[in-house]
Amino acid sequence: MGNPRGVTAELLATTGVCVMPPADVARSLGVDEDVWTRFAAHWDELAPDPYAAELGIQRLRRYGHFTFADGVATPMPTGAFVQPHDSNPLYVERDRHFEPLTDAFARDPLLDGLLRLLGRFATALDDVAEWTVKVHPFRVVASADGDGRPTPEGLHRDGVTLVTSLLIDRRNAVGGESTVVDSDGRPLLTTTLTEPGTLLLGDDRRTVHGVSPIRPVDASAPAVRDVLVITFA
């Protein structure tokens, strides 16, 4: 079996998008199921997203900002989150303020390992001395009378170099299909992240991505989709 990091980096660089299976992610990080379970508990500490609420979407999140150089992630003040003009059409150049990552989340060894792993993939796309890294844990919730929309803006870019989405948990949910197309709209990948630990990676400079709504399997309980979106720019 080849090195999963090398295989992923090559696929990402050549095709612009790839999926890293949970076993390869866990192997690359050197973690087991107990570590994932502990890490997933951070999603119970997320805060309501007031901007999604304006659209009638129940979404919780937090936000972290780091610099990354020479394999080391350094926390930075979060400040406002602003997306560039050629990215998310819903929030172009709008200052959005989110609750920061909890101290426990920001210091979690698994997050540090993820940032170092993703830093290797970012380097496969571009030779940059220092990266700006944004960390976004999301929880999207859907009820029987309303879909949960992970990407209400539809197909979009994030205005970065590397965009990644790591599935943390998925409960009582159908839908949530991820679609990635190239800059001309040609389909590159369609997949539904169903197994925790699955990592979707994309070269944001030459792809566009979106996720379909989720809804409950059992209408008497909410559908929940927890993901960790990390970008390198």
Side-chain angles (χ1 to χ4, degrees):
M1 181 182 295
N3 182 334
R5 290 175 302 203
V7 172
T8 299
E10 183 177 357
L11 272 173
L12 179 63
T14 55
T15 67
V17 62
C18 65
V19 175
M20 194 173 189
D24 288 349
V25 175
R27 176 183 167 196
S28 297
L29 294 171
V31 299
D32 58 21
E33 187 173 343
D34 289 343
V35 174
W36 283 117
T37 300
R38 177 186 54 75
F39 189 62
H42 294 306
W43 271 252
D44 293 330
E45 305 296 328
L46 302 186
D49 179 344
Y51 307 97
E54 295 172 356
L55 304 172
I57 298 169
Q58 189 177 354
R59 183 164 73 182
L60 299 98
R61 68 186 296 174
R62 286 184 182 270
Y63 167 50
H65 178 196
F66 297 79
T67 59
F68 186 86
D70 298 323
V72 177
T74 303
M76 302 295 290
T78 52
F81 176 57
V82 184
Q83 293 185 274
H85 71 277
D86 59 347
S87 60
N88 187 325
L90 275 182
Y91 302 112
V92 169
E93 296 182 344
R94 179 181 181 185
D95 289 8
R96 289 185 289 163
H97 296 269
F98 301 109
E99 293 294 324
L101 300 179
T102 62
D103 289 342
F105 199 145
R107 295 195 305 262
D108 196 299
L110 182 51
L111 177 61
D112 183 66
L114 276 168
L115 294 179
R116 285 187 279 111
L117 176 64
L118 297 179
R120 296 186 181 190
F121 297 143
T123 301
L125 297 179
D126 203 356
D127 183 17
V128 173
E130 182 177 274
W131 294 96
T132 295
V133 180
K134 304 292 177 68
V135 176
H136 309 271
F138 288 101
R139 169 171 287 175
V140 173
V141 182
S143 62
D145 57 357
D147 288 339
R149 288 179 282 163
T151 56
E153 62 274 25
L155 289 170
H156 68 284
R157 285 191 172 94
D158 283 35
V160 297
T161 300
L162 174 68
V163 58
T164 72
S165 182
L166 176 70
L167 183 68
I168 301 299
D169 197 10
R170 178 185 167 102
R171 301 190 298 276
N172 190 39
V174 294
E177 182 179 72
S178 298
T179 298
V180 183
V181 302
D182 68 14
S183 298
D184 295 320
R186 290 187 291 263
L188 296 176
L189 178 73
T190 299
T191 186
T192 301
L193 307 182
T194 57
E195 186 177 351
T198 307
L199 178 64
L200 175 62
L201 306 104
D203 182 343
D204 194 57
R205 301 165 303 178
R206 54 190 174 118
T207 60
V208 184
H209 62 276
V211 183
S212 69
I214 63 169
R215 60 188 186 279
V217 176
D218 177 357
S220 67
V224 175
R225 183 178 186 267
D226 291 348
V227 298
L228 178 59
V229 173
I230 298 179
T231 64
F232 279 65

